Amino acid sequence: MELDPIHQFEIYPLIPLRIGSLDLSFTNSALFMVLIVVLTSGFLIYATTRRGLVPSRLQSVAEISYEFIASTLRTSAGHEGMKFFPFVFTTFMFILIANLLGMFPYFFTVTSHIIITATLSLAVMAIVVGYGFKKNGLGFFRLFLPHGIPMWLAPLIVFIEVLSFLSRPLSLSLRLFANILAGHITLKVFAGFVVMLGTAGFLGFLGAALPLAMTIGLTALEFLVAFLQAYVFAILTCLYLNDAIHPGH
Amino acid sequence: MEGQLIIAQAEVPEAPAPIEPGAPAAPLVDTPPLEPGGEELHTEVGAEEHGATFPPFDPTFFASQLLWLAITFVAFYLIMQRVALPRIGAILEVRRDRIAGDLDRAEQLKRESDAAIAAYEKSLADARSKAFAIAEDSRKKASAAAEEQRRENETALASRLAAAEGQIAAIKEKALAEVGTIAGDVAGTVVESLIGKRATADEIRAAVTAAGDR
C-alpha cells in the first residue's frame, strides 16, 4: 500500500455528511480546498496590511501576482476584459495554490481529480457563453464564422469552429487534470524505486541513486508544471473571454 | 494484482446491497445513531472500492467535491473581489498617483527653473545692453569734448597765427621802410666818397625810390 502510486489520490471523508442519497461529506479534498482559500486569502490580506508605498517582500509578491494576471488579461481580452479580473485571478490562484500544496508530501492535490478541473473549465465556458450572448445577442455566433471566409468554405469552417469550441472545456479540464495526475504518479513511482532498491542490498543501495536523482529532477519539473498549468488555464480563460467580448475575431 | 482487481470489481455489485437498505433508512428515521452507522458501513465499502477503481474516476465523492468546490470557490471569489483585490488595487493606484504627482511636480519645478533661467538671461542681456549704451554714450561725450577742445585749440592757434603773421607783416613793413633810409644813408656816403660832395637828401631819396621802382 505504501508504494501504491494511486493511494495519494484517494478521497476519504473527514466529517461524514449525507443528504438523501447524496454523500456530501467533508473530505480530505474539501479540507485542502478550504486550506487553499484560507492560506491564499490570509496571505494576500496579511501581505497588504501595511499598504506600503514602497512594498515589503510579501507585499510585492501580492502585487506581482495581481499585476501578472491583470496584464495577462488586459493584453489578451482588452480593457473590457478587466471586469472578469476577479474571476480570472481567483481561478488562477485556486489552481496554482492547489497544485503547489499538492507538492508537499502526504498532501492531497485537489486538481488531480477530473471532477474539479471539469467543473472549473465548465464554469469558464458558462461565463464565456453567458456573457457572449448577453453582450452580443445572436451576434455571438459570429465567433464561428471568421471574417473574410469565402461562402463556399463557410459550412466547413463553421463545423470546425463549433467543434473546436465544444472541445475547449474538454481540453481545458483534461490538460490540467492529466498533467497533475501523471506528474504525481511519476514522482511516486520513482520515489518508490528509491525505497525498493535502497532496501535490496548493497548494489541496490548504490543503484537507488539513479531514481533518487530522477525524483529530485522530477520534483523541480513538477513545480514548473504546477505553475505552468495554472498559467495555461488562466491565459486560455482570458482568450476565451476575449472571444465572448469580441466574437468577430 | 489482476486477480485482486477482478475480485474487487466482483465485490462492487455486491457492495451496494447493504447500502440500499441503509440509504432509505436515513430519510425515514431522523434518529442520529442510525446515520453514523450507515456512514461507517459506506466508508468501509468505499475503501474496498478504492482498491479497484481509479480514485479520480470514482463517482462516490463527486457530489461532495462539487459541493465543497462550489462553497470554497465562491467564498474565495468573494474574498478576492471584495477584500484582497481592492486592497492591492488601491495600493497600486496610490503608488501610480504618487509617481504621477511627483513627475508633475518635477515638471513644474523644471518649468519654474526654466523661467528663472530665462529671467536671469534677460536681465543679463539688459545689463549688457545698458552697459553698452553707457559706454557708447560716454565714448560719444568724450569724443565730443575732445572735438571741442581741438576746435578751441585750433581757433586759439589760428588767432595766435594771425597775430604772429600781423607782427611779421609789421616788422617786414618796418624793415622795408627802413631799407629806404639805409639805402639813402649808404647812397649818400657812397656818393660823398665818390665825388666828394654831399648830395642833398631829396636827390638821394628820389634816386633810391627810382632804383627801388626799377
Side-chain angles (χ1 to χ4, degrees):
Chain A
M1 203 57 178
E2 196 52 49
L3 292 183
D4 178 10
I6 305 302
H7 176 65
Q8 57 179 320
F9 304 116
E10 262 173 33
I11 291 180
Y12 47 87
L14 298 173
I15 303 166
L17 174 71
R18 180 171 267 284
I19 296 169
S21 59
L22 280 177
D23 187 348
L24 300 174
S25 307
F26 187 83
T27 61
N28 55 339
S29 171
L31 172 68
F32 274 91
M33 287 193 245
V34 171
L35 214 58
I36 291 164
V37 175
V38 170
L39 284 179
T40 315
S41 309
F43 171 77
L44 288 178
I45 290 169
Y46 171 73
T48 51
T49 33
R50 265 199 336 110
R51 291 167 187 263
L53 193 64
V54 178
S56 60
R57 280 184 222 179
L58 291 185
Q59 190 185 320
S60 62
V61 171
E63 284 175 15
I64 287 166
S65 56
Y66 179 102
E67 294 202 310
F68 175 65
I69 295 300
S71 72
T72 305
L73 183 58
R74 198 177 293 118
T75 47
S76 49
H79 196 73
E80 218 177 323
M82 288 312 282
K83 68 176 69 161
F84 295 108
F85 176 61
F87 175 72
V88 177
F89 187 82
T90 307
T91 314
F92 173 75
M93 278 313 217
F94 190 88
I95 295 171
L96 177 69
I97 304 304
N99 292 350
L100 289 179
L101 275 183
M103 289 308 294
F104 285 95
Y106 298 107
F107 276 26
F108 180 80
T109 317
V110 175
T111 42
S112 68
H113 278 249
I114 183 90
I115 186 76
I116 299 289
T117 63
T119 309
L120 287 174
S121 58
L122 282 175
V124 170
M125 294 327 281
I127 286 173
V128 167
V129 172
Y131 184 76
F133 277 118
K134 186 186 149 229
K135 180 170 181 287
N136 309 292
L138 292 178
F140 183 57
F141 284 116
R142 271 180 299 158
L143 179 64
F144 302 122
L145 188 60
H147 268 305
I149 296 291
M151 275 327 278
W152 60 272
L153 257 178
L156 184 66
I157 294 294
V158 168
F159 176 71
I160 292 171
E161 289 283 334
V162 168
L163 208 63
S164 87
F165 187 84
L166 291 179
S167 68
R168 278 173 181 184
L170 207 66
S171 66
L172 200 57
S173 55
L174 279 180
R175 184 182 303 109
L176 176 59
F177 161 70
N179 267 287
I180 300 303
L181 185 81
H184 280 254
I185 291 176
T186 320
L187 208 53
K188 185 82 177 203
V189 166
F190 275 97
F193 283 163
V194 179
V195 178
M196 269 157 58
L197 283 171
T199 51
F202 181 67
L203 278 181
F205 190 77
L206 289 183
L210 213 66
L212 181 64
M214 195 74 181
T215 308
I216 293 167
L218 277 173
T219 306
L221 182 73
E222 280 313 300
F223 273 109
L224 178 72
V225 167
F227 171 78
L228 209 63
Q229 286 308 318
Y231 177 61
V232 165
F233 199 99
I235 200 165
L236 284 175
T237 302
C238 293
L239 291 175
Y240 297 162
L241 287 171
N242 182 44
D243 280 347
I245 297 162
H246 314 106
H249 280 254
Chain B
M1 190 66 196
E2 282 286 302
Q4 260 188 320
L5 218 144
I6 290 163
I7 292 165
Q9 273 183 336
E11 274 176 353
V12 173
E14 287 171 28
I19 296 179
E20 295 292 355
L28 274 174
V29 193
D30 275 337
T31 44
L34 250 174
E35 278 225 49
E39 221 32 69
E40 267 174 46
L41 190 72
H42 174 77
T43 47
E44 271 172 39
V45 173
E48 273 171 45
E49 268 181 349
H50 293 160
T53 46
F54 190 49
F57 297 138
D58 177 10
T60 318
F61 290 108
F62 273 9
S64 153
Q65 289 193 76
L66 282 176
L67 173 74
W68 290 103
L69 174 65
I71 290 171
T72 53
F73 195 83
V74 168
F76 195 29
Y77 179 84
L78 290 177
I79 294 168
M80 290 296 112
Q81 191 206 20
R82 299 272 158 84
V83 187
L85 294 178
R87 271 166 87 108
I88 305 174
I91 289 169
L92 295 174
E93 188 73 19
V94 164
R95 182 172 312 143
R96 201 173 299 128
D97 285 356
R98 173 71 184 269
I99 289 170
D102 282 1
L103 282 178
D104 279 356
R105 202 170 133 63
E107 182 71 21
Q108 192 196 330
L109 287 177
K110 190 182 174 300
R111 263 202 302 277
E112 273 172 22
S113 73
D114 280 355
I117 287 172
Y120 162 76
E121 294 271 345
K122 191 180 173 312
S123 62
L124 192 68
D126 279 357
R128 208 171 265 149
S129 64
K130 217 175 191 174
F132 181 74
I134 289 168
E136 183 75 2
D137 199 35
S138 57
R139 197 178 61 78
K140 263 184 197 155
K141 257 185 209 157
S143 75
E147 182 73 12
E148 183 82 358
Q149 188 71 35
R150 194 178 61 81
R151 204 170 294 127
E152 258 172 40
N153 287 351
E154 240 167 40
T155 43
L157 281 174
S159 63
R160 274 169 71 183
L161 195 65
E165 265 171 8
Q167 216 174 338
I168 288 166
I171 291 167
K172 201 178 172 185
E173 208 168 308
K174 199 175 155 194
L176 278 177
E178 275 170 9
V179 163
T181 17
I182 294 166
D185 284 352
V186 171
T189 317
V190 166
V191 166
E192 200 181 336
S193 58
L194 277 176
I195 55 172
K197 176 184 147 191
R198 285 190 74 102
T200 62
D202 292 338
E203 282 170 342
I204 291 166
R205 195 175 301 128
V208 167
T209 326
D213 286 345
R214 217 182 310 140

